[in-house]
Amino acid sequence: MVSFFESNLAELSVHHVGNKTNEEYYSLADSSMHIDDEMLNQLLKQYFLSPFQKVNEVYRFTQHNNDLNSNEIYRLASEVFADGGLFHENSKNIATYLFEVADHPKVKGGELYVGYFENVQIEGDLHDAIGIFRSESKESYIKVYPENGGFNISYEQQGININKLDKGCLIFKTEAEEGYKVVVVDNTSRTSEAAYWKDQFLMLKVRNDNFNKTQNVMDVYKNFVTEKLDQEFDVEKTDKIDLLNRSMKYFKEKETFDIDEFANEVIANEEGIELFKNYKQSYEEEFDTQIADTFDISDAAVKKQAKDYKSILKLDKNFHVYIHGNKDMIEKEYDAEKGMNCYKLYFKEEQ
């Protein structure tokens, strides 16, 4: 869903936000930072952005009275997107707003990071994004270093594990009128009382449109064919390509997706159908997202996904065979004389 290999952390502000219910306060930085050290920039991107690579659900900002500008985070983000000079000042406004709304006694104090990222990819497109991140958990680290011809040991008590982001969100500079595209991570709130991040602070709703539903089920099916089938069956590469081609034909020709109809027409094998439905259920549980069983198919999502549905049979470095239709027109054999695998291709005329 989200990738960041082309991204750049252009600006970063760091503040500390306590819990006012527990008589803690907040501390705001005087200025933002520009991270020129390339290694530190990469480490920070790993800490802030890598948790979003497995996020599947896209949200939008919302507000009860349908006035998006009354959503404080939406308003502040919009101002930053319109004028980058307001970045740090609005990062302080974000921190003070968090201090006001996160007032449950179970909410821990900690650092709040607000970053401006360039060229973050979501759903195949590059956008600038504002990231808001929260670190609540601290860990102890042991450091070993050379000293006097041997080694010595020290420790860091209040360190941050860059592989464990507590909370975060990315607000992408696209579809502003609809509430932006927003993705969320929350690894610490396990109770409704403490689940303030998404509901109280950000005020988000799931982007539950047909584009999202179509893309999700096509992603799940593609992963099922390319990764899961081999674990259960001995499947030839040509059969996998055929399964992907048949699914693409289904999505291009149908107006409505129905999982039972899809499974019967595309997979057409009882064991395979059961395996696919179990895989879909496991995917929903692992990524905490619901894949709809019926919906109207989005042509735009099908067009975008078609770029990733490869029907190419790669043979060493010599040949690429594009398979578009009947897989019965290609047969795999073994040539004992040459000691090599080979394919037979059947056709009526050469074009």
Side-chain angles (χ1 to χ4, degrees), residues 247-261:
S247 71
M248 184 57 65
K249 183 174 184 291
Y250 177 94
F251 282 105
K252 286 182 176 179
E253 293 181 352
K254 302 286 186 177
E255 294 183 357
T256 303
F257 174 83
D258 178 87
I259 190 169
D260 292 323
E261 178 189 67

Side-chain angles (χ1 to χ4, degrees), residues 331-344:
E331 293 180 1
K332 185 177 182 179
E333 294 184 355
Y334 180 78
D335 189 315
E337 183 177 340
K338 292 183 179 294
M340 298 179 71
N341 295 311
C342 64
Y343 280 97
K344 284 184 178 180

